[in-house]
Amino acid sequence: QVQLVESGGGSVQAGGSLRLSCAAFGYTYSIYCMGWFRQAPGKEREGVASIYTGGGITYYADSVKGRFTISQDNAKNTLYLQMNSLKPEDSAMYYCAADYQSGGSWFNPYEYNYWGQGTQVTVSS
């Protein structure tokens, strides 16, 4: 069992930056992959970025490449998402998630076993 707690969301103007954090508590040793997802009202949950905890390999959605950076601090059991050059279309509830099983697609939310409660990001034009 693992508990994920996100923080760092807020309201910014277009072009601004935010850093999201996701603290993991509990049985974190066997986490294979961690990801950030987002969901806007009326839309499906979509993968934003992921990191494979063993080798640190990262993946990004095309819509955020070059603007967002996912990283992890293993000593603190914390996942981060640095978001720069934010756009109004980045507005959504952002969730972190943990996957304990290898294989599958990083951007598929059904691959993940545990989810945080979400943190709201609102970008105004």
Side-chain angles (χ1 to χ4, degrees):
Q1 188 88 13
V2 67
Q3 184 182 11
L4 303 174
V5 181
E6 300 102 333
S7 60
S11 297
V12 296
Q13 290 192 327
S17 298
L18 284 172
R19 188 176 82 154
L20 306 183
S21 299
C22 172
F25 303 92
Y27 191 70
T28 63
Y29 302 108
S30 296
I31 293 177
Y32 178 71
C33 172
M34 293 200 72
W36 285 101
F37 289 77
R38 65 187 181 187
Q39 188 168 19
K43 294 189 177 181
E44 293 186 352
R45 190 168 296 190
E46 63 171 348
V48 175
S50 75
I51 185 166
Y52 286 82
T53 57
I57 297 173
T58 58
Y59 293 92
Y60 296 92
D62 288 343
S63 59
V64 307
K65 279 180 182 176
R67 299 188 298 122
F68 290 11
T69 302
I70 189 172
S71 62
Q72 60 184 0
D73 184 333
N74 291 330
K76 296 181 179 179
N77 287 330
T78 301
L79 180 74
Y80 301 100
L81 184 69
Q82 178 66 44
M83 305 186 296
N84 298 328
S85 301
L86 282 161
K87 304 176 181 180
E89 52 263 42
D90 294 318
S91 297
M93 185 73 79
Y94 282 71
Y95 301 89
C96 71
D99 179 6
Y100 281 78
Q101 297 175 324
S102 63
S105 301
W106 73 265
F107 51 84
N108 182 355
Y110 295 100
E111 298 287 341
Y112 291 77
N113 308 103
Y114 294 96
W115 292 82
Q117 81 288 351
T119 186
Q120 179 68 40
V121 171
T122 303
V123 184
S124 59
S125 57

